[in-house]
Amino acid sequence: MTGTAKTTKSTAKRAASADPSYDGFTAEERAAMKEHAQEMKATSRRRGSAADKAAEAEAAVVAKIAEMQDSDREMAERIHAVVKKSAPELAPKLWYGMPAYAKDGKVLCFFQSAQKFNARYATFGFNDVATLDDGAMWPTAFALTKLTAADERRIADLVKKAVG
């Protein structure tokens, strides 16, 4: 590549990132990808027994929840307790900087705080390994602004069904 071609390419890159109509990754999305890379490195460096690794992963989830803003933190703490009680076989882990719960190493469900992507509401969602199939169409994510006892029961039921 010539010097002119390199300059043109880097100039175009800068222009695209400064252009508000640029449709690339947001700063929040880039940060989530960096967090995921760090999580993968941390997972590969963990030493010790399976129980030690599981405890370390759960401690990371609890620490991430503690960093959240008030209402999101309260919902995440309650969801963490509900998921652990209704599906103790799921393994807590961080996933793109979010508390998540895995079955056989694959993320089954997750909590996304509203602040994570500057959203209007937090989200509790399921990935494709969740067995929530109901016909040709079914919900895989739920918006949360607060949690009631009825919401917690519904989440518990969904998590149990998702595990299979």
Side-chain angles (χ1 to χ4, degrees), residues 48-59:
S49 68
D52 291 341
K53 291 176 185 180
E56 191 175 328
E58 183 165 4

Side-chain angles (χ1 to χ4, degrees), residues 34-82:
K34 286 180 184 177
E35 280 185 288
H36 185 60
Q38 291 170 344
E39 293 157 9
M40 299 300 289
K41 285 179 188 176
T43 298
S44 69
R45 285 190 296 243
R46 286 192 179 121
R47 302 283 184 242
S49 68
D52 291 341
K53 291 176 185 180
E56 191 175 328
E58 183 165 4
V61 167
V62 170
K64 183 59 75 173
I65 290 171
E67 293 173 7
M68 294 179 187
Q69 293 176 353
D70 294 340
S71 63
D72 283 351
R73 185 183 63 251
E74 291 168 12
M75 286 189 290
E77 289 169 345
R78 291 171 64 192
I79 286 173
H80 182 71
V82 167

Side-chain angles (χ1 to χ4, degrees), residues 10-25 30:
S10 65
T11 302
K13 226 177 174 180
R14 278 195 307 276
S17 64
D19 180 3
S21 66
Y22 175 66
D23 196 23
F25 293 111
R30 285 190 300 278

Side-chain angles (χ1 to χ4, degrees), residues 83-150:
V83 171
K84 285 188 57 147
K85 182 178 180 183
S86 54
E89 65 271 32
L90 294 181
K93 66 182 282 180
L94 288 177
W95 184 62
Y96 293 95
M98 298 178 285
Y101 305 88
K103 177 181 177 183
D104 301 326
K106 295 184 179 183
V107 172
L108 181 114
C109 59
F110 60 91
F111 176 80
Q112 178 182 300
S113 70
Q115 73 191 53
K116 182 74 177 169
F117 296 108
N118 296 318
R120 186 168 59 96
Y121 48 79
T123 305
F124 184 69
F126 295 91
N127 282 339
D128 60 338
V129 296
T131 56
L132 294 173
D133 306 37
D134 184 16
M137 186 173 101
W138 58 89
T140 60
F142 299 85
L144 302 170
T145 56
K146 65 179 183 170
L147 280 179
T148 66

